[in-house]
Amino acid sequence: MSKANKMQSILFIQTLIIIVLFALPLQAVVKQKHQELLTKTNSRHLALSWGDIWNIVRRKKVSGGGRGGEICAIAPRKLVDPDSSINKGTEEIWSVQPLFLWHVKSGTAQKIELFQQGNKQVIWSQEITPAQEKIIYDGKPLQPGELYQWHMYVNVPFPKKSVSIQFQIIETQKRDRIASELNQLETRLKKQGANVEKIALEKVNYFAQQELWSDALREIYAVPNPSAELTKIIQQISSIDYCEATAETL
């Protein structure tokens, strides 16, 4: 090897050593920043509060809702265009055992009935107590992709049937994707030590981000022994007039 080539080799090796020495602390910094980002992302799940959820859901404005005179269907509800009150389509719901939520302005509910679209036969019905304004469907799981309708019978003060509200269970492929994401979310939160209510809180946030408002409400109302903070949120939800055109609703 010539003297010139030997000098080039020595310079190359020295340069390589310098690059490696500088790269090692840089890699450490990058790794540290990545870990900090992951920590912030994971801690966000534990930092979210029911107050944050309330701020999310109360900003969701929908004109009209499930309007039926004195009977206000909150979930599932009719989707309308907030600017024109034109029907926007059918609400999609992930849960095959959905929540039914309503408000009777001046009267009492008596019974709720559920039908499959195109079939006049009642597939599920429940008697309602005078003060009751919600119920979670407890019949045979509804079918993905299928359309359903529900209505109520009330005294306002005379017997009356509400308008029928149509909704659809999300098709199988999309339901499975959502189920997988919810399972991953729950697994991660359990590793972080989250309790049942905290997991429910994150699921509500997930459904809200997906604009699956009936599922978000179901998760809220399904929490056993709700905390004082969650109880306050439920009371706030119940106090809103969802069927007024100017109301802030889910």
Side-chain angles (χ1 to χ4, degrees):
M1 179 182 294
S2 66
K3 188 175 181 180
N5 288 338
K6 187 180 291 185
M7 288 298 296
Q8 288 178 350
S9 297
I10 292 172
L11 287 172
F12 174 76
I13 292 170
Q14 289 175 336
T15 303
L16 183 62
I17 290 172
I18 293 171
I19 291 172
V20 170
L21 289 175
F22 275 99
L24 285 175
L26 179 61
Q27 289 176 355
V29 171
V30 171
K31 184 176 181 181
Q32 182 181 0
K33 291 296 183 181
H34 179 65
Q35 290 297 329
E36 289 176 357
L37 179 61
L38 288 177
T39 301
K40 288 180 180 179
T41 301
N42 289 334
S43 64
R44 187 199 69 77
H45 291 286
L46 296 178
L48 193 69
S49 70
W50 286 115
D52 296 325
I53 292 297
W54 173 244
N55 289 332
I56 292 171
V57 299
R58 72 189 180 92
R59 289 196 301 265
K60 183 66 178 178
K61 295 183 179 181
V62 179
S63 173
R67 189 178 304 198
E70 297 296 322
I71 309 160
C72 175
I74 302 171
R77 55 178 170 74
K78 179 181 178 182
L79 298 181
V80 295
D81 189 316
D83 296 324
S84 63
S85 297
I86 296 175
N87 187 5
K88 286 181 64 176
T90 300
E91 182 180 15
E92 287 191 324
I93 297 177
W94 176 79
S95 177
V96 293
Q97 292 185 304
L99 165 77
F100 294 93
L101 185 64
W102 63 88
H103 176 65
V104 182
K105 296 181 180 180
S106 57
T108 57
Q110 292 182 308
K111 185 170 66 173
I112 181 173
E113 292 183 337
L114 178 66
F115 301 80
Q116 190 164 0
Q117 178 74 3
N119 192 334
K120 295 182 179 181
Q121 183 178 357
V122 177
I123 63 173
W124 178 78
S125 67
Q126 289 289 321
E127 300 294 327
I128 302 299
T129 60
Q132 191 173 351
E133 292 192 329
K134 68 177 178 66
I135 189 170
I136 292 179
Y137 172 75
D138 60 359
K140 183 178 178 181
L142 303 182
Q143 296 301 304
E146 294 295 325
L147 290 165
Y148 296 90
Q149 288 185 330
W150 70 288
H151 61 231
M152 301 187 65
Y153 290 93
V154 299
N155 276 327
V156 286
F158 50 86
K160 181 179 181 180
K161 185 180 79 170
S162 71
V163 296
S164 294
I165 304 296
Q166 181 177 275
F167 66 94
Q168 183 176 27
I169 302 299
I170 293 173
E171 51 86 18
T172 301
Q173 185 175 0
K174 186 176 179 181
R175 283 197 76 256
D176 290 346
R177 175 183 62 78
I178 292 173
S180 176
E181 292 173 354
L182 288 171
N183 285 335
Q184 292 175 30
L185 176 65
E186 185 169 351
T187 298
R188 181 171 67 249
L189 291 169
K190 283 182 177 179
K191 288 181 179 178
Q192 296 174 351
N195 59 21
V196 172
E197 185 165 318
K198 199 66 177 180
I199 292 172
L201 168 65
E202 286 295 340
K203 287 183 176 180
V204 171
N205 183 54
Y206 172 87
F207 285 128
Q209 297 302 324
Q210 300 289 323
E211 296 198 350
L212 296 170
W213 302 104
S214 285
D215 291 299
L217 282 168
R218 186 193 189 284
E219 203 67 43
I220 290 173
Y221 280 89
V223 174
N225 303 315
S227 64
E229 184 182 11
L230 176 53
T231 300
K232 181 180 178 181
I233 297 300
I234 292 173
Q235 291 171 347
Q236 288 175 317
I237 291 172
S238 300
S239 68
I240 295 176
D241 190 345
Y242 292 89
C243 292
E244 286 297 323
T246 58
E248 289 184 327
T249 81
L250 298 181

